[in-house]
Amino acid sequence: SFDTGASWQNMALQGFSMGLVVHGMEGFDYEKTKHELSVPDGYTIEAMIAIGRPGKKEHLPKELQEREEKSDRHPVSAFVFEGTFKH
């Protein structure tokens, strides 16, 4: 499981540097995934990750377009800085 987290982090960083969207997912059926991908016994499904190119909002189905809103998250500049600690 630790290696899965390290791999996920590296894929996310590499994807971002290549202009890709890398999205970890939860809520999928682990056993069905194992069956559908013919994963042999002795192996465990640890994570599901979607990797793709960013698309345009207008290409989404109407119901998904309505869910696309600008994030209310703090800008990165509010919590990442260079140099000594800033309060």
Side-chain angles (χ1 to χ4, degrees):
S1 291
F2 176 79
D3 290 342
T4 302
S7 295
W8 152 243
Q9 176 195 26
N10 286 305
M11 286 192 337
L13 292 171
Q14 181 64 39
F16 178 81
S17 74
M18 297 171 66
L20 300 172
V21 177
V22 183
H23 183 78
M25 297 181 283
E26 182 53 79
F28 62 93
D29 186 322
Y30 287 82
E31 287 304 314
K32 182 176 180 181
T33 301
K34 186 173 181 175
H35 173 75
E36 292 292 324
L37 297 176
S38 300
V39 176
D41 291 338
Y43 291 86
T44 305
I45 302 292
E46 295 279 344
M48 181 78 68
I49 302 165
I51 302 173
R53 301 195 184 283
K56 296 183 179 180
K57 181 178 175 178
E58 55 270 16
H59 292 164
L60 290 170
K62 183 129 180 103
E63 62 274 6
L64 293 179
Q65 286 183 31
E66 294 169 0
R67 291 176 40 188
E68 285 292 309
E69 296 179 11
K70 185 168 172 67
S71 172
D72 62 351
R73 293 180 179 171
H74 295 291
V76 174
S77 61
F79 56 87
V80 174
F81 56 88
E82 184 176 340
T84 59
F85 185 81
K86 298 177 183 176
H87 182 54

Coordinates of all heavy atoms in Angstrom, one line a residue:
S1 N 0.8 -1.2 0.0 CA 0.0 0.0 0.0 C 0.9 1.3 0.0 O 0.5 2.2 -0.6 CB -0.9 0.0 1.2 OG -1.9 -1.0 1.1
F2 N 2.0 1.2 0.7 CA 2.9 2.4 0.7 C 3.4 2.7 -0.7 O 3.4 3.8 -1.1 CB 4.0 2.1 1.7 CG 5.0 3.3 1.7 CD1 4.8 4.4 2.4 CD2 6.2 3.2 0.9 CE1 5.7 5.5 2.3 CE2 7.1 4.2 0.9 CZ 6.9 5.4 1.6
D3 N 3.8 1.6 -1.4 CA 4.3 1.8 -2.8 C 3.2 2.4 -3.7 O 3.5 3.1 -4.6 CB 4.8 0.5 -3.3 CG 6.1 0.0 -2.6 OD1 6.8 0.8 -2.0 OD2 6.4 -1.2 -2.8
T4 N 2.0 2.0 -3.5 CA 0.9 2.5 -4.3 C 0.8 4.0 -4.1 O 0.6 4.8 -5.1 CB -0.5 1.9 -3.9 OG1 -0.3 0.5 -4.1 CG2 -1.6 2.4 -4.7
G5 N 0.9 4.5 -2.8 CA 0.8 5.9 -2.6 C 2.0 6.7 -3.2 O 1.8 7.7 -3.8
A6 N 3.2 6.1 -3.1 CA 4.3 6.7 -3.8 C 4.2 6.8 -5.3 O 4.5 7.8 -5.9 CB 5.6 6.0 -3.4
S7 N 3.7 5.7 -5.8 CA 3.5 5.6 -7.3 C 2.5 6.7 -7.7 O 2.6 7.3 -8.7 CB 3.0 4.2 -7.7 OG 4.0 3.3 -7.5
W8 N 1.4 6.7 -7.0 CA 0.3 7.7 -7.3 C 0.9 9.1 -7.3 O 0.6 9.9 -8.2 CB -0.9 7.5 -6.3 CG -1.6 8.8 -6.0 CD1 -1.7 9.5 -4.8 CD2 -2.4 9.5 -7.0 NE1 -2.5 10.6 -5.0 CE2 -2.9 10.6 -6.3 CE3 -2.7 9.4 -8.3 CZ2 -3.7 11.6 -6.9 CZ3 -3.5 10.3 -8.9 CH2 -4.0 11.4 -8.2
Q9 N 1.6 9.4 -6.3 CA 2.2 10.8 -6.2 C 3.1 11.1 -7.4 O 2.9 12.1 -8.0 CB 3.0 10.9 -4.9 CG 3.7 12.3 -4.8 CD 4.8 12.4 -3.8 OE1 5.4 11.3 -3.5 NE2 5.1 13.6 -3.3
N10 N 3.9 10.2 -7.8 CA 4.8 10.4 -8.9 C 4.0 10.5 -10.2 O 4.4 11.3 -11.1 CB 5.9 9.3 -9.0 CG 6.9 9.5 -7.9 OD1 7.5 10.6 -7.8 ND2 7.1 8.5 -7.1
M11 N 3.0 9.7 -10.4 CA 2.2 9.8 -11.6 C 1.5 11.1 -11.6 O 1.4 11.7 -12.7 CB 1.2 8.6 -11.7 CG 1.8 7.3 -12.0 SD 0.7 6.0 -12.5 CE -0.8 6.3 -11.7
A12 N 1.0 11.6 -10.5 CA 0.3 12.9 -10.5 C 1.2 14.0 -10.8 O 0.9 14.9 -11.6 CB -0.4 13.1 -9.1
L13 N 2.4 14.0 -10.2 CA 3.4 15.1 -10.5 C 3.8 15.0 -12.0 O 3.9 16.1 -12.6 CB 4.6 14.9 -9.6 CG 4.3 15.2 -8.1 CD1 5.5 14.8 -7.2 CD2 3.9 16.7 -7.9
Q14 N 4.1 13.8 -12.5 CA 4.6 13.7 -13.9 C 3.4 14.2 -14.8 O 3.7 14.9 -15.8 CB 5.0 12.3 -14.2 CG 5.5 12.1 -15.6 CD 6.8 12.9 -15.9 OE1 7.7 13.0 -15.1 NE2 6.8 13.5 -17.1
G15 N 2.2 13.7 -14.5 CA 1.1 14.1 -15.4 C 0.9 15.6 -15.4 O 0.7 16.2 -16.5
F16 N 0.9 16.2 -14.2 CA 0.8 17.7 -14.1 C 1.8 18.4 -15.0 O 1.6 19.3 -15.7 CB 0.8 18.1 -12.7 CG 0.7 19.6 -12.5 CD1 -0.5 20.2 -12.6 CD2 1.8 20.4 -12.3 CE1 -0.7 21.6 -12.4 CE2 1.7 21.8 -12.2 CZ 0.5 22.4 -12.2
S17 N 3.1 17.9 -14.9 CA 4.2 18.5 -15.6 C 4.0 18.4 -17.1 O 4.6 19.2 -17.9 CB 5.5 18.0 -15.2 OG 5.7 16.7 -15.7
M18 N 3.2 17.4 -17.5 CA 3.0 17.2 -18.9 C 1.6 17.8 -19.4 O 1.2 17.6 -20.5 CB 2.9 15.7 -19.2 CG 4.2 15.0 -19.0 SD 4.1 13.2 -19.0 CE 3.7 12.9 -20.8
G19 N 1.0 18.6 -18.5 CA -0.3 19.2 -18.9 C -1.5 18.3 -18.8 O -2.5 18.6 -19.4
L20 N -1.3 17.2 -18.1 CA -2.5 16.2 -18.1 C -3.2 16.4 -16.8 O -2.8 17.0 -15.8 CB -1.9 14.8 -18.1 CG -1.1 14.4 -19.4 CD1 -0.5 13.0 -19.2 CD2 -2.0 14.4 -20.6
V21 N -4.4 15.9 -16.7 CA -5.2 15.8 -15.5 C -5.1 14.4 -15.0 O -5.3 13.4 -15.7 CB -6.7 16.1 -15.8 CG1 -7.6 16.0 -14.6 CG2 -6.9 17.5 -16.4
V22 N -4.7 14.3 -13.7 CA -4.5 13.0 -13.1 C -5.5 13.0 -11.8 O -5.3 13.8 -11.0 CB -3.1 12.8 -12.7 CG1 -2.9 11.4 -12.1 CG2 -2.2 12.9 -13.9
H23 N -6.4 12.1 -11.8 CA -7.5 12.1 -10.8 C -7.6 10.8 -10.2 O -7.9 9.8 -10.8 CB -8.8 12.5 -11.5 CG -9.9 12.6 -10.5 ND1 -10.1 13.7 -9.7 CD2 -10.9 11.8 -10.3 CE1 -11.2 13.6 -9.0 NE2 -11.7 12.4 -9.3
G24 N -7.3 10.7 -8.8 CA -7.5 9.5 -8.1 C -9.0 9.3 -7.8 O -9.7 10.3 -7.6
M25 N -9.4 8.1 -7.8 CA -10.9 7.8 -7.6 C -11.1 6.8 -6.5 O -10.3 6.0 -6.2 CB -11.5 7.2 -8.9 CG -11.4 8.2 -10.1 SD -12.1 7.5 -11.5 CE -10.8 6.4 -12.1
E26 N -12.3 6.9 -5.9 CA -12.7 6.0 -4.9 C -14.2 5.7 -5.2 O -14.8 6.3 -6.0 CB -12.6 6.7 -3.5 CG -13.0 5.8 -2.3 CD -12.4 4.4 -2.3 OE1 -11.2 4.3 -1.8 OE2 -13.0 3.4 -2.7
G27 N -14.7 4.7 -4.5 CA -16.1 4.4 -4.7 C -16.4 3.4 -5.9 O -17.5 3.3 -6.4
F28 N -15.3 2.8 -6.3 CA -15.5 1.7 -7.4 C -15.5 0.4 -6.7 O -15.1 0.2 -5.6 CB -14.3 1.8 -8.4 CG -12.9 1.6 -7.9 CD1 -12.4 0.3 -7.9 CD2 -12.2 2.7 -7.4 CE1 -11.1 0.1 -7.4 CE2 -10.9 2.4 -6.9 CZ -10.4 1.2 -6.9
D29 N -15.9 -0.6 -7.4 CA -16.0 -2.0 -6.9 C -14.7 -2.7 -7.1 O -14.3 -3.1 -8.2 CB -17.2 -2.7 -7.7 CG -17.5 -4.1 -7.2 OD1 -16.5 -4.8 -6.8 OD2 -18.7 -4.5 -7.2
Y30 N -14.0 -2.9 -6.0 CA -12.6 -3.5 -6.1 C -12.7 -4.9 -6.7 O -11.9 -5.3 -7.5 CB -12.0 -3.5 -4.7 CG -11.6 -2.2 -4.2 CD1 -12.5 -1.3 -3.6 CD2 -10.3 -1.8 -4.3 CE1 -12.1 -0.1 -3.2 CE2 -9.8 -0.6 -3.8 CZ -10.8 0.3 -3.3 OH -10.4 1.5 -2.8
E31 N -13.6 -5.7 -6.2 CA -13.7 -7.1 -6.7 C -14.1 -7.2 -8.2 O -13.6 -7.9 -9.0 CB -14.7 -7.9 -5.9 CG -14.2 -8.2 -4.5 CD -12.8 -9.0 -4.6 OE1 -12.7 -10.0 -5.4 OE2 -11.9 -8.6 -3.8
K32 N -15.1 -6.3 -8.6 CA -15.5 -6.3 -10.0 C -14.3 -5.9 -10.9 O -14.0 -6.4 -12.0 CB -16.7 -5.4 -10.2 CG -17.1 -5.4 -11.7 CD -18.4 -4.5 -11.8 CE -18.8 -4.5 -13.3 NZ -20.0 -3.7 -13.5
T33 N -13.5 -4.9 -10.4 CA -12.4 -4.4 -11.2 C -11.3 -5.5 -11.3 O -10.8 -5.7 -12.4 CB -11.7 -3.2 -10.4 OG1 -12.7 -2.1 -10.3 CG2 -10.5 -2.6 -11.2
K34 N -11.1 -6.2 -10.2 CA -10.2 -7.3 -10.3 C -10.6 -8.4 -11.3 O -9.8 -8.9 -12.1 CB -10.0 -7.9 -8.9 CG -9.0 -9.0 -8.8 CD -8.8 -9.5 -7.3 CE -7.7 -10.5 -7.3 NZ -7.3 -10.9 -6.0
H35 N -11.9 -8.7 -11.3 CA -12.4 -9.6 -12.3 C -12.3 -9.1 -13.7 O -11.8 -9.8 -14.6 CB -13.9 -10.0 -11.9 CG -14.6 -10.8 -12.9 ND1 -14.3 -12.2 -13.0 CD2 -15.5 -10.5 -13.9 CE1 -15.0 -12.6 -14.0 NE2 -15.7 -11.7 -14.6
E36 N -12.8 -7.9 -13.9 CA -12.8 -7.3 -15.3 C -11.4 -7.2 -15.9 O -11.3 -7.3 -17.1 CB -13.5 -5.9 -15.3 CG -15.0 -6.0 -15.0 CD -15.8 -6.7 -16.1 OE1 -15.5 -6.5 -17.3 OE2 -16.8 -7.4 -15.8
L37 N -10.4 -6.9 -15.1 CA -9.1 -6.7 -15.5 C -8.2 -8.0 -15.5 O -7.1 -8.0 -15.8 CB -8.3 -5.6 -14.8 CG -8.9 -4.2 -14.9 CD1 -8.2 -3.3 -14.0 CD2 -8.9 -3.8 -16.3
S38 N -8.9 -9.1 -15.1 CA -8.3 -10.5 -15.0 C -7.0 -10.4 -14.1 O -6.0 -11.0 -14.4 CB -7.9 -11.0 -16.4 OG -9.1 -11.1 -17.1
V39 N -7.1 -9.7 -12.9 CA -6.0 -9.7 -12.0 C -6.0 -11.0 -11.3 O -7.0 -11.4 -10.6 CB -6.2 -8.5 -11.0 CG1 -5.1 -8.5 -10.0 CG2 -6.3 -7.2 -11.8
P40 N -4.8 -11.7 -11.3 CA -4.8 -13.0 -10.7 C -4.8 -12.9 -9.1 O -4.5 -11.9 -8.6 CB -3.5 -13.6 -11.2 CG -2.7 -12.4 -11.6 CD -3.6 -11.3 -12.0
D41 N -5.2 -14.1 -8.5 CA -5.1 -14.2 -7.1 C -3.7 -13.9 -6.6 O -2.8 -14.2 -7.3 CB -5.6 -15.6 -6.6 CG -7.1 -15.8 -6.8 OD1 -7.8 -14.8 -7.0 OD2 -7.5 -17.0 -6.9
G42 N -3.6 -13.3 -5.5 CA -2.3 -13.0 -4.9 C -1.9 -11.5 -5.2 O -1.0 -11.0 -4.7
Y43 N -2.8 -10.8 -6.0 CA -2.6 -9.4 -6.3 C -3.8 -8.7 -5.8 O -4.9 -9.2 -5.7 CB -2.5 -9.1 -7.8 CG -1.2 -9.6 -8.4 CD1 -1.0 -11.0 -8.8 CD2 -0.1 -8.8 -8.4 CE1 0.2 -11.4 -9.3 CE2 1.1 -9.3 -9.0 CZ 1.2 -10.6 -9.4 OH 2.4 -11.0 -9.9
T44 N -3.6 -7.4 -5.4 CA -4.7 -6.6 -4.8 C -4.9 -5.3 -5.6 O -3.9 -4.7 -5.9 CB -4.4 -6.3 -3.3 OG1 -4.2 -7.5 -2.6 CG2 -5.5 -5.5 -2.7
I45 N -6.1 -5.0 -5.8 CA -6.4 -3.7 -6.4 C -6.2 -2.6 -5.3 O -6.9 -2.7 -4.3 CB -7.8 -3.6 -7.0 CG1 -8.0 -4.6 -8.1 CG2 -8.1 -2.2 -7.5 CD1 -7.3 -4.5 -9.3
E46 N -5.4 -1.7 -5.5 CA -5.1 -0.7 -4.5 C -5.7 0.7 -4.8 O -6.0 1.5 -3.9 CB -3.6 -0.5 -4.3 CG -2.9 -1.7 -3.7 CD -3.0 -1.9 -2.2 OE1 -3.4 -0.9 -1.5 OE2 -2.8 -3.0 -1.7
A47 N -5.8 1.0 -6.1 CA -6.2 2.4 -6.4 C -6.7 2.4 -7.9 O -6.5 1.5 -8.7 CB -5.0 3.3 -6.4
M48 N -7.5 3.4 -8.1 CA -8.0 3.7 -9.5 C -7.7 5.1 -9.8 O -7.9 6.0 -9.1 CB -9.5 3.5 -9.5 CG -10.2 3.7 -10.9 SD -10.0 2.3 -12.0 CE -11.0 1.0 -11.2
I49 N -7.1 5.3 -11.0 CA -6.6 6.6 -11.4 C -7.0 6.9 -12.8 O -6.8 6.0 -13.7 CB -5.1 6.7 -11.2 CG1 -4.6 6.4 -9.8 CG2 -4.6 8.1 -11.7 CD1 -3.2 6.2 -9.6
A50 N -7.6 8.0 -13.1 CA -7.9 8.4 -14.4 C -6.9 9.5 -14.9 O -6.5 10.4 -14.1 CB -9.3 9.0 -14.5
I51 N -6.3 9.3 -16.1 CA -5.4 10.2 -16.6 C -5.8 10.7 -18.0 O -6.2 9.8 -18.8 CB -4.0 9.6 -16.7 CG1 -3.5 9.1 -15.4 CG2 -3.0 10.6 -17.3 CD1 -2.2 8.3 -15.4
G52 N -5.9 12.0 -18.2 CA -6.3 12.4 -19.5 C -5.9 13.9 -19.8 O -5.3 14.5 -18.9
R53 N -6.4 14.4 -20.9 CA -6.1 15.8 -21.2 C -7.3 16.6 -20.8 O -8.4 16.2 -20.8 CB -5.9 15.9 -22.7 CG -4.8 15.0 -23.2 CD -4.4 15.4 -24.6 NE -3.3 14.6 -25.1 CZ -2.0 14.6 -24.8 NH1 -1.7 15.5 -23.9 NH2 -1.2 13.8 -25.2
P54 N -7.0 17.8 -20.3 CA -8.1 18.7 -19.9 C -9.0 19.0 -21.1 O -8.6 19.1 -22.3 CB -7.4 20.0 -19.5 CG -6.0 19.8 -19.5 CD -5.7 18.5 -20.2
G55 N -10.3 19.0 -20.9 CA -11.3 19.3 -21.9 C -12.0 20.6 -21.7 O -11.7 21.4 -20.8
K56 N -12.9 20.9 -22.6 CA -13.7 22.1 -22.5 C -15.0 21.9 -21.9 O -15.6 20.8 -22.2 CB -13.8 22.7 -23.9 CG -12.5 23.2 -24.6 CD -12.7 23.8 -25.9 CE -11.4 24.2 -26.5 NZ -11.5 24.8 -27.8
K57 N -15.4 22.8 -21.1 CA -16.7 22.7 -20.4 C -17.9 22.4 -21.3 O -18.7 21.6 -21.1 CB -17.0 23.9 -19.6 CG -18.2 23.9 -18.8 CD -18.4 25.2 -18.0 CE -19.7 25.3 -17.3 NZ -19.8 26.5 -16.5
E58 N -17.8 23.1 -22.5 CA -19.0 23.0 -23.4 C -19.0 21.6 -24.1 O -20.0 21.2 -24.7 CB -18.9 24.1 -24.5 CG -17.6 24.2 -25.3 CD -16.6 25.1 -24.6 OE1 -16.8 25.5 -23.5 OE2 -15.7 25.5 -25.3
H59 N -18.0 20.8 -23.9 CA -18.0 19.4 -24.5 C -18.6 18.4 -23.5 O -18.8 17.2 -23.9 CB -16.6 19.0 -24.8 CG -16.0 19.7 -26.0 ND1 -14.7 19.7 -26.3 CD2 -16.6 20.5 -26.9 CE1 -14.5 20.5 -27.3 NE2 -15.6 21.0 -27.7
L60 N -18.9 18.8 -22.3 CA -19.5 18.0 -21.3 C -21.0 17.9 -21.6 O -21.6 18.8 -22.1 CB -19.3 18.5 -19.9 CG -17.9 18.5 -19.3 CD1 -17.8 19.3 -18.0 CD2 -17.5 17.0 -19.1
P61 N -21.7 16.8 -21.1 CA -23.1 16.7 -21.1 C -23.7 17.9 -20.3 O -23.1 18.3 -19.3 CB -23.4 15.4 -20.5 CG -22.2 14.6 -20.6 CD -21.1 15.5 -20.6
K62 N -24.9 18.3 -20.6 CA -25.5 19.5 -20.0 C -25.5 19.4 -18.4 O -25.1 20.3 -17.8 CB -26.9 19.7 -20.5 CG -27.6 20.9 -19.9 CD -28.1 21.8 -21.0 CE -28.8 23.0 -20.5 NZ -28.0 24.2 -20.7
E63 N -25.9 18.2 -17.9 CA -25.9 18.1 -16.5 C -24.6 18.2 -15.8 O -24.5 18.6 -14.7 CB -26.6 16.7 -16.1 CG -25.9 15.5 -16.5 CD -26.2 15.0 -17.9 OE1 -27.0 15.7 -18.6 OE2 -25.8 13.9 -18.3
L64 N -23.5 17.8 -16.5 CA -22.2 18.0 -15.9 C -21.7 19.4 -16.1 O -20.9 19.9 -15.2 CB -21.2 17.0 -16.6 CG -21.4 15.5 -16.2 CD1 -20.4 14.6 -17.0 CD2 -21.4 15.3 -14.8
Q65 N -22.1 20.1 -17.2 CA -21.7 21.5 -17.3 C -22.2 22.3 -16.2 O -21.5 23.2 -15.7 CB -22.3 22.0 -18.6 CG -21.6 21.5 -19.9 CD -22.1 22.2 -21.1 OE1 -22.6 23.3 -21.1 NE2 -22.1 21.5 -22.2
E66 N -23.4 22.0 -15.7 CA -24.0 22.8 -14.6 C -23.2 22.6 -13.3 O -23.3 23.5 -12.4 CB -25.5 22.3 -14.4 CG -26.3 22.7 -15.6 CD -27.7 22.1 -15.6 OE1 -28.0 21.3 -14.6 OE2 -28.5 22.3 -16.5
R67 N -22.5 21.5 -13.1 CA -21.7 21.2 -11.9 C -20.3 21.8 -12.0 O -19.7 22.0 -10.9 CB -21.6 19.7 -11.7 CG -22.9 19.0 -11.4 CD -22.8 17.5 -11.3 NE -21.5 17.1 -10.7 CZ -21.1 15.8 -10.6 NH1 -21.9 14.9 -11.2 NH2 -20.0 15.5 -10.0
E68 N -19.9 22.3 -13.1 CA -18.6 22.9 -13.3 C -18.6 24.3 -12.8 O -19.2 25.2 -13.5 CB -18.1 22.8 -14.7 CG -17.7 21.5 -15.2 CD -16.4 21.0 -14.5 OE1 -15.4 21.8 -14.5 OE2 -16.4 19.9 -14.0
E69 N -18.0 24.5 -11.7 CA -17.9 25.9 -11.1 C -16.5 26.2 -10.7 O -15.7 25.2 -10.4 CB -18.8 26.0 -9.9 CG -20.3 25.9 -10.2 CD -21.2 26.0 -9.0 OE1 -20.7 26.4 -7.9 OE2 -22.4 25.6 -9.1
K70 N -16.1 27.4 -10.6 CA -14.8 27.8 -10.2 C -14.7 27.4 -8.7 O -15.6 27.6 -7.9 CB -14.6 29.3 -10.3 CG -13.2 29.7 -10.0 CD -13.0 31.2 -10.4 CE -11.7 31.7 -9.9 NZ -10.5 31.1 -10.5
S71 N -13.5 26.8 -8.4 CA -13.3 26.3 -7.0 C -13.2 27.5 -6.0 O -12.6 28.6 -6.4 CB -12.0 25.5 -7.0 OG -11.6 25.2 -5.6
D72 N -13.7 27.3 -4.8 CA -13.5 28.3 -3.8 C -12.3 28.1 -2.9 O -12.2 28.6 -1.8 CB -14.8 28.5 -3.0 CG -15.2 27.2 -2.2 OD1 -14.5 26.1 -2.4 OD2 -16.1 27.2 -1.4
R73 N -11.4 27.2 -3.4 CA -10.2 26.9 -2.6 C -9.3 28.2 -2.6 O -9.4 29.0 -3.4 CB -9.4 25.8 -3.3 CG -10.2 24.5 -3.2 CD -9.4 23.4 -3.9 NE -10.1 22.1 -3.8 CZ -9.7 21.1 -4.5 NH1 -8.6 21.1 -5.3 NH2 -10.4 20.0 -4.4
H74 N -8.5 28.2 -1.5 CA -7.5 29.3 -1.4 C -6.5 29.2 -2.6 O -6.1 28.1 -3.0 CB -6.7 29.2 -0.1 CG -7.6 29.4 1.1 ND1 -8.1 30.6 1.4 CD2 -8.0 28.6 2.1 CE1 -8.8 30.6 2.5 NE2 -8.8 29.3 2.9
P75 N -6.0 30.3 -3.1 CA -5.0 30.2 -4.1 C -3.7 29.6 -3.5 O -3.4 29.8 -2.3 CB -4.7 31.7 -4.5 CG -5.3 32.5 -3.4 CD -6.3 31.6 -2.7
V76 N -2.9 28.9 -4.3 CA -1.7 28.3 -3.8 C -0.8 29.3 -3.1 O -0.2 29.0 -2.1 CB -0.9 27.6 -4.9 CG1 0.4 27.1 -4.5 CG2 -1.7 26.5 -5.5
S77 N -0.8 30.6 -3.6 CA 0.1 31.6 -3.0 C -0.3 31.9 -1.5 O 0.5 32.5 -0.8 CB 0.0 32.9 -3.8 OG -1.4 33.4 -3.9
A78 N -1.5 31.5 -1.1 CA -1.9 31.7 0.3 C -1.3 30.7 1.3 O -1.2 31.0 2.5 CB -3.4 31.6 0.4
F79 N -0.7 29.6 0.8 CA -0.1 28.7 1.7 C 1.2 28.1 1.2 O 1.8 27.3 1.9 CB -1.1 27.5 2.0 CG -1.6 26.8 0.8 CD1 -0.9 25.7 0.3 CD2 -2.8 27.2 0.2 CE1 -1.4 25.1 -0.8 CE2 -3.3 26.5 -0.9 CZ -2.6 25.4 -1.4
V80 N 1.7 28.5 0.1 CA 3.0 28.1 -0.4 C 3.9 29.3 -0.5 O 3.4 30.3 -1.1 CB 2.9 27.3 -1.7 CG1 4.3 27.0 -2.3 CG2 2.1 26.0 -1.5
F81 N 5.1 29.2 0.0 CA 6.0 30.4 -0.1 C 7.4 29.9 -0.2 O 7.7 28.8 0.1 CB 5.8 31.3 1.0 CG 5.9 30.7 2.4 CD1 7.2 30.6 3.0 CD2 4.9 30.1 3.0 CE1 7.3 30.0 4.2 CE2 5.0 29.5 4.3 CZ 6.3 29.5 4.9
E82 N 8.3 30.8 -0.6 CA 9.7 30.6 -0.7 C 10.4 31.3 0.4 O 10.0 32.5 0.7 CB 10.2 31.0 -2.0 CG 11.7 30.7 -2.2 CD 12.2 31.0 -3.6 OE1 11.3 31.2 -4.5 OE2 13.4 31.2 -3.8
G83 N 11.4 30.7 1.1 CA 12.1 31.4 2.1 C 11.7 31.0 3.5 O 11.2 30.0 3.7
T84 N 11.8 32.0 4.4 CA 11.5 31.7 5.8 C 10.0 31.7 6.1 O 9.2 32.2 5.2 CB 12.2 32.7 6.8 OG1 11.8 34.0 6.4 CG2 13.7 32.6 6.6
F85 N 9.6 31.2 7.2 CA 8.2 31.1 7.6 C 7.5 32.5 7.6 O 8.1 33.4 8.1 CB 8.0 30.5 8.9 CG 6.6 30.2 9.3 CD1 5.9 29.1 8.8 CD2 6.0 31.1 10.2 CE1 4.6 28.9 9.2 CE2 4.7 30.9 10.5 CZ 4.0 29.8 10.1
K86 N 6.3 32.6 7.0 CA 5.6 33.8 7.0 C 4.3 33.6 7.7 O 3.6 32.6 7.4 CB 5.3 34.3 5.6 CG 6.6 34.6 4.8 CD 6.3 35.1 3.4 CE 7.5 35.3 2.7 NZ 7.3 35.6 1.2
H87 N 3.9 34.5 8.6 CA 2.6 34.3 9.4 C 1.6 35.3 8.9 O 1.8 36.4 8.6 CB 2.9 34.5 10.9 CG 1.7 34.3 11.7 ND1 0.9 33.1 11.6 CD2 1.1 35.0 12.6 CE1 -0.1 33.2 12.5 NE2 0.0 34.4 13.1

